[in-house]
Amino acid sequence: MTATLDAQARAILTGNDRGGYTVPTEGLYPYQWNWDSAFAAWGFSTFDVDRAWVELETLFKAQWSDGMVPHIVFWKVDPGYFPGPDVWQGGTDPASSGISQPPVVATLAREILAADPAAGVSRIAALYPKLVAWHRWWHEHRCASGVASVTHPWESGRDNCPDWDPGMRNVDGSGAGSYTRRDTGHVDASMRPKKEDYDRYLAMVAFGRNCGWDQAEIIKNGPFLMADPAMTFILIRAHRDLAAIGRELGQDVAEIEGWAAALVDGLPQIWNERLGCYDARDLRTGEFANILGSGAFLVWLLGAVDPAVEARLVAVWDRVKYGIPSADPAAETFDPRRYWRGPMWPFLNALIAMGMVKTGKTALAERLRKENAAVMRAHGFSEYYDPMDGTPCGGPNFTWTAAVWLTWAGRNAEGGS
Ligand code: DGY
């Protein structure tokens, strides 16, 4: 059974391979997405390490001159996706979007390196300066407040999660005009963000496009700026992983360690006492989102977690049957099949488990792995799942779900498959 699922997962990766980059799923997402690609590479590393490195190398071919690595690279225009390169006008070659996405590459590159250190050393050495430039971009353009922020919900990768509700309320989407969404032609509209969300997403894109993606202007006057615990935890962990890579390569990593330390110092800004957890916060108004979601669960990436916080997180997890949900089922906004407003996303669960393992929480990590494996065994490799009954949601044959089956969910506690 596991061997069959392994073969199916590998077939999804190779089937979604478009030659040097992998699409998340056919139809719904026809381009190269930033953090999807990092997970694809991790998946490829279980059976084709060279192809894993190629995935990352292709992504970095789209790096902007200021170091930013875009969230979508439009390698080959596909009218089945909206908004495309004409809307973004990223102004680069290859065409790309104008925002980034959570920088998980350094963390997953370490895993890929571990799969075959001899094959990986020259590949990571070539990527290293590009990774440093990207991490410096995050430090300079998204972390000036002390914590990592996002200028668009799409930059967080957790598009319509309730974390962004306070910031979204202040975005004026009334000028969006008429447009045709393509996502709802591929997937049931009840599983996707709503029209009022899309109107605002497009208003934020228009602001960036109209100022030529001037980062200082976007931070100062853009329609949306929220501190993101998930981005902060991912970035701290990624800075530490990049520093570890740099040390192996004989580089001076003091600057990178300084970026990580500065973010650790800023953590009190996103501590929500009322919630008893780290929480997203609108940097324009100071308002907390007051919602416990998957972002807060990534806290294990930092290191040992306070027992009271752990108990709070596990209590939320206990409310569902399959994996850690993207939002608290006890919240009024919980919607178990609507994208990031409740569903369980295996790739994010894999990242949470990585933190748990590193901090010695092996029983929790094993519970999480088993719940994810159960839903994949029952329903295959979907984009996300209803955490209550396991119903597969979103796009089918999904790259990062297949990838984390191969690297994590489909492997037993001893590491075998
Ligand atoms: C989408 O199109 O839904 C993506 O999440 C944007 O990156």
Side-chain angles (χ1 to χ4, degrees):
M1 177 67 174
T2 298
T4 317
L5 280 167
D6 283 0
Q8 282 172 17
R10 285 194 289 265
I12 287 174
L13 290 187
T14 50
N16 287 339
D17 184 353
R18 294 291 176 272
Y21 70 96
T22 312
V23 298
T25 187
E26 191 175 329
L28 181 61
Y29 303 117
Y31 299 114
Q32 183 174 28
W33 261 261
N34 187 320
W35 69 336
D36 292 75
S37 255
F39 281 93
W42 190 25
F44 274 120
S45 74
T46 62
F47 62 99
D48 187 348
V49 175
D50 175 63
R51 182 61 189 77
W53 290 112
V54 168
E55 185 79 24
L56 301 181
E57 288 156 1
T58 306
L59 178 66
F60 276 82
K61 281 185 188 153
Q63 184 166 34
W64 288 22
S65 57
D66 65 359
M68 197 272 276
V69 182
H71 102 291
I72 308 175
V73 189
F74 302 111
W75 288 111
K76 214 161 50 180
V77 176
D78 186 323
Y81 181 80
F82 175 85
D86 50 328
V87 179
W88 282 97
Q89 294 177 21
T92 51
D93 184 17
S96 68
S97 66
I99 55 172
S100 199
Q101 232 177 6
V104 291
V105 174
T107 298
L108 298 182
R110 278 188 88 190
E111 302 288 327
I112 297 164
L113 196 54
D116 187 343
V121 67
S122 62
R123 316 293 282 269
I124 194 66
L127 275 176
Y128 180 75
K130 300 176 190 186
L131 275 161
V132 174
W134 188 29
H135 283 221
R136 186 178 291 115
W137 180 90
W138 278 102
H139 175 72
E140 287 176 355
H141 298 294
R142 294 291 182 269
C143 300
S145 65
V147 281
S149 60
V150 289
T151 60
H152 193 303
W154 285 343
E155 196 162 58
S156 76
R158 301 175 348 270
D159 304 6
N160 65 339
C161 67
D163 306 37
W164 313 134
D165 288 358
M168 285 285 273
R169 274 196 289 274
N170 294 328
V171 178
D172 179 6
S174 62
S178 70
Y179 57 91
T180 306
R181 280 175 66 175
R182 300 290 176 184
D183 58 324
T184 45
H186 298 287
V187 165
D188 191 310
S190 67
M191 295 178 180
R192 293 289 301 174
K194 297 180 175 167
K195 169 163 167 46
E196 60 259 38
D197 299 321
Y198 259 77
D199 287 350
R200 291 178 169 90
Y201 297 155
L202 293 174
M204 291 177 246
V205 172
F207 185 94
R209 182 181 65 228
N210 293 339
C211 72
W213 300 104
D214 174 342
Q215 295 303 326
E217 176 61 10
I218 292 169
I219 295 294
K220 191 155 173 254
N221 295 315
F224 181 96
L225 186 68
M226 284 194 71
D228 180 5
M231 191 69 91
T232 304
F233 303 148
I234 287 171
L235 197 49
I236 292 171
R237 169 72 196 253
H239 284 326
R240 289 174 178 164
D241 285 319
L242 186 60
I245 292 169
R247 271 191 295 276
E248 287 288 311
L249 295 172
Q251 301 288 325
D252 178 353
V253 296
E255 184 188 15
I256 303 169
E257 288 171 333
W259 299 335
L263 282 178
V264 171
D265 288 348
L267 286 172
Q269 280 189 59
I270 49 169
W271 175 257
N272 182 340
E273 190 61 40
R274 183 181 138 200
L275 200 64
C277 263
Y278 291 106
D279 190 15
R281 190 168 196 181
D282 191 332
L283 289 174
R284 302 267 187 247
T285 63
E287 190 186 346
F288 275 115
N290 282 308
I291 178 88
L292 205 159
S294 48
F297 279 89
L298 287 164
V299 68
W300 272 287
L301 289 177
L302 295 186
V305 171
D306 180 278
V309 174
E310 179 175 309
R312 180 85 181 85
L313 294 170
V314 172
V316 170
W317 182 7
D318 285 344
R319 294 187 180 121
V320 303
K321 196 162 171 209
Y322 296 108
I324 290 173
S326 50
D328 184 351
E332 256 174 41
T333 50
F334 182 69
D335 194 343
R337 298 190 186 169
R338 194 181 287 281
Y339 214 40
W340 286 93
R341 295 188 83 81
M344 183 279 269
W345 292 69
F347 84 97
L348 207 80
N349 278 219
L351 213 51
I352 296 168
M354 206 182 254
M356 289 171 169
V357 168
K358 193 134 185 162
T359 55
K361 292 285 167 186
T362 42
L364 287 181
E366 191 53 9
R367 169 183 164 190
L368 191 53
R369 187 192 71 77
K370 282 189 173 149
E371 290 179 9
N372 274 262
V375 88
M376 291 184 215
R377 279 201 180 94
H379 301 291
F381 304 110
S382 263
E383 185 177 8
Y384 45 97
Y385 303 84
D386 182 327
M388 298 299 190
D389 64 7
T391 297
C393 301
N397 301 322
F398 218 85
T399 292
W400 60 15
T401 309
V404 301
W405 168 267
L406 292 169
T407 56
W408 168 64
R411 302 173 77 85
N412 66 28
E414 282 75 49
S417 53

